[in-house]
Amino acid sequence: MKVDPPKELLKPLQVPSKILMGPGPSNCSQRVLQSLGHQIIGHFHSEMFKLMDDIKAGIQYAFQTKNKLTLALSTAAHGGMEACLGNLIESGETVLIAKCGIWGERAGNMANRIGAHVEFLKTEHGVGFDLDLLESYLKKFKPAAVFVVHAESTTGMKQPLEGIGNLVHRYNSLLIVDCVASLGGEPFFADAWEIDAVYTCSQKVLGAPPGITPISFSPLAVKKIFGRHTKISTYYWDMTILGDYWNCFGKSRIYHHTISATLIYGLREALAELAEEGLLFRWSRHKLVAAKLREELLKRGFQLYVKNPKFQLSTIVSIEIPRGINMNILSTRAMERYGVEISGGLGPTFGKIIRIGLMGNNSTYRHVDLLLEALDDALKFAIKSKI
Amino acid sequence: MKVDPPKELLKPLQVPSKILMGPGPSNCSQRVLQSLGHQIIGHFHSEMFKLMDDIKAGIQYAFQTKNKLTLALSTAAHGGMEACLGNLIESGETVLIAKCGIWGERAGNMANRIGAHVEFLKTEHGVGFDLDLLESYLKKFKPAAVFVVHAESTTGMKQPLEGIGNLVHRYNSLLIVDCVASLGGEPFFADAWEIDAVYTCSQKVLGAPPGITPISFSPLAVKKIFGRHTKISTYYWDMTILGDYWNCFGKSRIYHHTISATLIYGLREALAELAEEGLLFRWSRHKLVAAKLREELLKRGFQLYVKNPKFQLSTIVSIEIPRGINMNILSTRAMERYGVEISGGLGPTFGKIIRIGLMGNNSTYRHVDLLLEALDDALKFAIKSKI
């Protein structure tokens, strides 16, 4: 043998237990973690189809949609972004992307790859756009689709979505929404808000493991997908086939890929927990907990990065790094001393802000208390280490 | 709320325990299943990087390669196929695809989507091609890449790979190999066989959960990837970025997507089990067990679908369905009475063959005995139900 078995693999697996209060992933509940240990079942077994049906219904509930083409992609949430753009946009078409952080940038990158013409609607970091500004862009660029991020996790900013779908439709365009960092933690109504394509992740507010991505397409989006002039460039994201595997079109199921039984178990249980708690309760829990944290942070003299309450998220609270404080020292201390993850910025906010996630199982007053204790201590430590 | 929480989600999760002896997935060991219950850690935590490094080394061992660009994709194995084709072929280039079952067909579908010119080298089902035939195609079509399936799971056929890489390179082409249904169960030497891109799945011989896909690219492939005239059309498969996330190019790690901690744990433990057993032992175990099954099947009068021993796999044994036997009755009985999965054909072999998987944890004499008991009983039952 030219390549020997690696010695590191002969040592036992070691996984630390952390309290994940960055922008995601968040912690899974014991119920979800236990479900992951079930033996694998096949991708075409009747029990798998039952789980997929239940998950579909759970995702419809979470998105508040009756869309038939609703399912979970076997991918990270980046795949959800790419599947929405790839299915709804053909080469040569224009897509308008609201850009106020890293995710709009990423969507632009993906849209460029499929030959779309990309226009950006840029806003100041931490500030959303309004309908008048959007309308001027719609008039000017006549895009085939508009891409909006509901929760910009790089800044902690919420883009209000009311009225956008209706406006976009008046200009014969389609609305794609990324709610990766908000779904379950912020009120969300895919149908009432006339959203044509939406995706979220499994590992933030929903509290499932990463690797499986809820997604849904409106009837208008389905019409566009089936009326395309060209096939989507990626088989793996092709909703015309995936929709059949998930029994979304009422035809017989066909094989598309081998779904991950493990992740299906975890997502099923996470959605069951959501169904048991109920959206209204979960939304208010996130709102109350985030308000409590902001209040305590303000008391301590921190500056919120998102100033206007209407743009503040209940899932991620962002604050400015106090002058002269080394973010690395801060987060390392919080992790080492308290096992608590506190994140710095990403992309445009790198080195500027602290991001605190209060998502899913980690959105409780108890987590706020722990976070503050860790933050207070880490801050003292960081100040001391400056001297 | 317009959409109520689904009642089915309020019932407890129920997962049956099955013995998976179809063409995959196979059963995970208790060690692998237990690892899945560990709490999530973040995609940019140092402990995650350590696990990724260990997995990379484990994959290099499994493939027998020293390729730096070796990692696991956060996707089903279909994503591995698409990532190989998408990274190595540009629009307008020709790809030669050996087609002797469904997987060559699928690769053709994917290659078409990225604008490649597709040529097929077709062989009879259950029979591989030889180097002379391949050379005539290389001369005629001058492909930029050649796609070969090592283990065609739809027929149970093994394509011998010795000499192919060398021949393909003499024609300035690149060799892509799918070893989804063979890796770990058949001798495989990516470097010695001059393979430029190779992928397998996690859920067959390796015995990890589905949803994460080992993949590796040779230095020649890397040169092609970095010398492309156009960006690959799919961000999610872009190895220039993914390679940085997995620290393959010696630069600093960058964020590409949120990897699934759960699947990382499972794959790590499955690769650890492979490292402990050793490739030589695992290959001979699969060879002995498959030989035993074939012997017993022949004793019972079954006809092997792949006649020539040099094309027979040690991971999947395919036999012709006895005349007049209803495959559905057969497989349903085996599952209901013994909890054993036995599969029919897929695509071109649908309704023609029975496929028995002996992969990873399920490649033991004990499994052969159980399978035969279930098959004998199910056959009797199927004959009775005809009368």
Side-chain angles (χ1 to χ4, degrees), chain A residues 251-324:
Chain A
K251 295 192 283 182
S252 60
R253 297 201 194 238
I254 57 168
Y255 176 57
H256 177 271
H257 71 284
T258 298
I259 207 164
S260 182
T262 302
L263 299 181
I264 284 289
Y265 304 151
L267 181 57
R268 194 273 179 200
E269 288 299 85
L271 289 168
E273 288 180 329
L274 177 66
E276 286 175 11
E277 180 173 8
L279 280 172
L280 287 178
F281 283 96
R282 191 169 291 198
W283 293 341
S284 28
R285 171 159 66 87
H286 280 76
K287 191 174 177 181
L288 288 167
V289 170
K292 173 80 175 166
L293 176 62
R294 273 194 296 268
E295 185 192 321
E296 292 292 335
L297 290 169
L298 289 171
K299 270 192 211 161
R300 283 162 169 78
F302 285 104
Q303 300 292 315
L304 299 177
Y305 186 68
V306 179
K307 311 291 180 201
N308 189 331
K310 79 171 172 180
F311 300 131
Q312 289 170 351
L313 276 170
S314 294
T315 51
I316 297 169
V317 173
S318 53
I319 49 179
E320 294 170 14
I321 301 177
R323 194 181 303 240

Side-chain angles (χ1 to χ4, degrees), chain B residues 282-354:
Chain B
R282 191 169 289 196
W283 293 340
S284 27
R285 171 160 65 87
H286 281 75
K287 191 173 176 180
L288 287 166
V289 170
K292 172 79 175 167
L293 176 63
R294 273 194 296 267
E295 186 192 320
E296 292 293 334
L297 290 169
L298 289 171
K299 269 191 210 162
R300 283 163 169 77
F302 285 103
Q303 301 291 316
L304 298 177
Y305 186 68
V306 178
K307 311 291 181 201
N308 189 332
K310 79 171 173 181
F311 299 131
Q312 289 169 352
L313 276 170
S314 294
T315 50
I316 297 170
V317 173
S318 53
I319 49 179
E320 292 171 15
I321 301 176
R323 194 181 302 240
I325 292 299
N326 182 320
M327 184 65 214
N328 250 344
I329 294 176
L330 201 76
S331 58
T332 305
R333 173 79 174 189
M335 179 56 77
E336 284 178 356
R337 196 76 177 245
Y338 292 84
V340 169
E341 179 182 39
I342 303 174
S343 287
L346 178 68
T349 58
F350 182 80
K352 292 181 188 161
I353 65 171
I354 302 172

Side-chain angles (χ1 to χ4, degrees), chain A residues 44-111:
Chain A
F44 240 68
H45 291 180
S46 58
E47 297 89 349
M48 179 63 87
F49 293 153
K50 168 79 172 87
L51 291 173
M52 290 163 74
D53 287 344
D54 292 352
I55 284 174
K56 192 200 295 184
I59 296 173
Q60 286 169 330
Y61 173 62
F63 282 140
Q64 282 295 298
T65 182
K66 291 180 175 162
N67 288 340
K68 284 182 186 168
L69 185 50
T70 299
L71 50 82
L73 297 172
S74 299
T75 160
H78 270 84
M81 185 186 277
E82 199 144 41
C84 286
L85 294 164
N87 278 279
L88 293 189
I89 297 164
E90 295 197 70
S91 177
E93 289 184 335
T94 296
V95 57
L96 175 64
I97 295 173
K99 187 173 125 180
C100 45
I102 203 178
W103 307 120
E105 183 83 34
R106 184 61 46 85
N109 178 318
M110 290 176 181

Side-chain angles (χ1 to χ4, degrees), chain B residues 63-82:
Chain B
F63 283 140
Q64 283 295 296
T65 181
K66 291 180 175 162
N67 288 340
K68 284 182 186 168
L69 185 50
T70 298
L71 49 82
L73 297 172
S74 298
T75 159
H78 269 84
M81 185 186 278
E82 200 145 41

Side-chain angles (χ1 to χ4, degrees), chain A residues 8 45 82 210 235 260 341, chain B residues 45 50 82 210 235 260 341:
Chain A
E8 287 300 306
H45 291 180
E82 199 144 41
Y235 164 89
S260 182
E341 179 182 39
Chain B
H45 291 180
K50 168 80 173 87
E82 200 145 41
Y235 164 88
S260 182
E341 179 182 39

Side-chain angles (χ1 to χ4, degrees), chain A residues 296-368:
Chain A
E296 292 292 335
L297 290 169
L298 289 171
K299 270 192 211 161
R300 283 162 169 78
F302 285 104
Q303 300 292 315
L304 299 177
Y305 186 68
V306 179
K307 311 291 180 201
N308 189 331
K310 79 171 172 180
F311 300 131
Q312 289 170 351
L313 276 170
S314 294
T315 51
I316 297 169
V317 173
S318 53
I319 49 179
E320 294 170 14
I321 301 177
R323 194 181 303 240
I325 293 298
N326 182 320
M327 185 64 213
N328 249 344
I329 294 176
L330 201 76
S331 58
T332 304
R333 173 79 175 189
M335 179 57 77
E336 284 177 357
R337 196 77 177 244
Y338 292 85
V340 169
E341 179 182 39
I342 304 173
S343 287
L346 179 68
T349 58
F350 182 79
K352 291 181 189 162
I353 65 172
I354 302 172
R355 295 183 296 162
I356 300 164
L358 298 160
M359 298 191 281
N361 301 298
N362 295 353
S363 169
T364 71
Y365 284 150
R366 189 172 56 80
H367 282 85
V368 171

